[in-house]
Amino acid sequence: MERQVVAEESKLCRKLGVFMRKCVFGILSVGVIPNHIAFILDGNRRFAKKHNLAGEGAGHRAGFFTLMSLLKYCAELSVRYVSIYAFSIDNFKRTQNEIRYLMDLMLEKMELLLREDGFLSKHGVRVCFIGNLGLVSEPIRVTAEKVMRATSKNTRIVILICLAYSSTEEIVHTVEETCLVTKKTQPQAFKPRNPQNDVTEDADEHKNKEKNTIKLVDLEKHMYMGVYPDPDILIRTSGENRLSNFLIWQSSNCMLYAPAALWPEIGLRHLIWAILNFQRHHAYLEKKKKQL
């Protein structure tokens, strides 16, 4: 009997929490809701140490449940895109045991999403993996492709998981791809200059200068993030005010928020505060974007 009462109270509390969350989200929706929120998941290991959690990767497992909660909140708020800095290229410098464990954990969670796609289907989540996937193992790469195919028809929210990613590598990749395409379509742009023909060539060079110039739009369409909008808010947990080579190109005009909470500790109140700050500065941010 006592257990039944406790269960009923727990159920009532959950319903009350959902109702209050809907009320808060309704108020937030009066203002501008960010189209794209990016997260740097910092502090998993410190969380495990802080709470004396036993077992390898206990902090990362706790962080996964935090991620699922935040994705649910973003979907309920109608945030269209969410980017997750899951594993950077610099993370390959960690110990082999830690890398192996993180990759195994990632593979485990991806396979779980494939087996139990209720969460993804319920919230209309489409998952895309961004980065140099050639650097990860074949099982990770193959499973990532399966997740992308399985969720390709979902349209409510797009989750961009940045795996084996860094901004510098993305920029190098972009320049290489842009030059390769330009060389194929405009070979004259790459011909060596002949000093003896400068007089006759100057007129043609001036005429074709604009045609042969690599423009900003040419670069951006070859970026990993090229088909997605720039983030409106970038949140990095654990109080660190560094981008750590994440979306450097795309974050020049977005709000930066660095709560002191470690990643597994971040919650609804942090997300609400970030959105309120974004709404307060939205007019200024839009003005800066138009000046570019």
Side-chain angles (χ1 to χ4, degrees):
M1 182 67 179
E2 184 178 347
R3 289 183 179 180
Q4 184 178 358
V5 172
V6 172
E8 289 295 329
E9 289 179 349
S10 177
K11 184 178 180 181
L12 180 62
C13 288
R14 285 197 299 270
K15 288 184 177 180
L16 180 61
V18 171
F19 173 75
M20 293 181 66
R21 189 168 72 241
K22 287 182 177 180
C23 291
V24 172
F25 287 176
I27 295 171
L28 280 177
S29 297
V30 174
V32 179
I33 296 298
N35 189 42
H36 185 174
I37 300 178
F39 293 96
I40 298 178
L41 288 56
D42 193 15
N44 289 313
R45 290 181 296 178
R46 277 170 282 175
F47 177 82
K49 185 176 181 180
K50 176 181 176 181
H51 294 276
N52 297 315
L53 298 181
E56 189 178 18
H60 291 89
R61 290 188 178 277
F64 176 78
F65 292 107
T66 297
L67 175 60
M68 291 295 102
S69 295
L70 287 174
L71 291 180
K72 180 176 69 174
Y73 300 151
C74 287
E76 292 175 356
L77 276 164
S78 298
V79 176
R80 185 75 178 83
Y81 300 91
V82 176
S83 292
I84 307 297
Y85 202 9
F87 195 88
S88 76
I89 290 179
D90 289 338
N91 288 150
F92 284 109
K93 298 176 182 178
R94 295 183 179 183
T95 65
Q96 288 300 312
N97 286 339
E98 184 176 2
I99 293 172
R100 188 182 306 110
Y101 178 81
L102 290 176
M103 290 298 174
D104 289 344
L105 178 61
M106 198 173 303
L107 182 60
E108 173 191 326
K109 298 305 180 184
M110 286 193 292
E111 290 175 342
L112 177 64
L113 291 176
L114 285 173
R115 291 195 305 269
E116 304 175 7
D117 65 344
F119 175 86
L120 300 179
S121 299
K122 178 181 177 181
H123 295 284
V125 177
R126 179 183 177 186
V127 179
C128 297
F129 287 85
I130 304 296
N132 188 351
L133 298 184
L135 297 177
V136 300
S137 64
E138 184 176 355
I140 292 283
R141 187 167 59 253
V142 170
T143 307
E145 291 170 353
K146 289 181 180 178
V147 172
M148 288 190 283
R149 285 196 300 270
T151 62
S152 61
K153 295 183 180 180
N154 297 339
T155 58
R156 184 177 179 186
I157 181 172
V158 179
I159 309 301
L160 307 172
I161 300 178
C162 297
L163 176 63
Y165 172 91
S166 74
S167 279
T168 49
E169 195 277 336
E170 179 183 27
I171 293 170
V172 170
H173 163 82
T174 299
V175 172
E176 290 176 343
E177 288 294 310
T178 305
C179 289
L180 184 63
V181 171
T182 305
K183 188 174 182 179
K184 290 180 179 178
T185 58
Q186 303 174 22
Q188 68 276 13
F190 292 85
K191 288 183 178 179
R193 189 179 185 85
N194 186 350
Q196 296 180 351
N197 298 329
D198 276 353
V199 176
T200 57
E201 289 182 353
D202 279 347
D204 292 335
E205 181 180 351
H206 179 74
K207 182 179 179 180
N208 295 322
K209 183 177 181 181
E210 184 176 352
K211 179 181 177 181
N212 297 334
T213 301
I214 294 177
K215 300 177 182 179
L216 180 61
V217 66
D218 298 321
L219 290 171
E220 290 187 334
K221 70 183 180 182
H222 289 106
M223 301 193 84
Y224 295 141
M225 302 287 289
V227 297
Y228 307 108
D230 293 345
D232 298 302
I233 305 174
L234 194 153
I235 300 175
R236 175 170 186 156
T237 51
S238 73
E240 295 287 347
N241 291 292
R242 297 177 288 110
L243 294 181
S244 294
N245 217 348
F246 180 54
L247 301 183
I248 294 175
W249 183 285
Q250 297 87 353
S251 60
S252 58
N253 286 290
C254 78
M255 286 287 301
L256 302 179
Y257 176 46
L262 303 174
W263 173 251
E265 297 171 339
I266 193 173
L268 179 60
R269 63 188 179 92
H270 299 98
L271 182 62
I272 291 173
W273 183 251
I275 293 175
L276 286 173
N277 274 328
F278 166 76
Q279 291 177 341
R280 189 160 65 95
H281 294 93
H282 180 258
Y284 172 77
L285 293 171
E286 288 299 302
K287 180 180 177 181
K288 294 296 291 183
K289 288 179 182 179
K290 291 177 182 178
Q291 291 175 353
L292 295 177

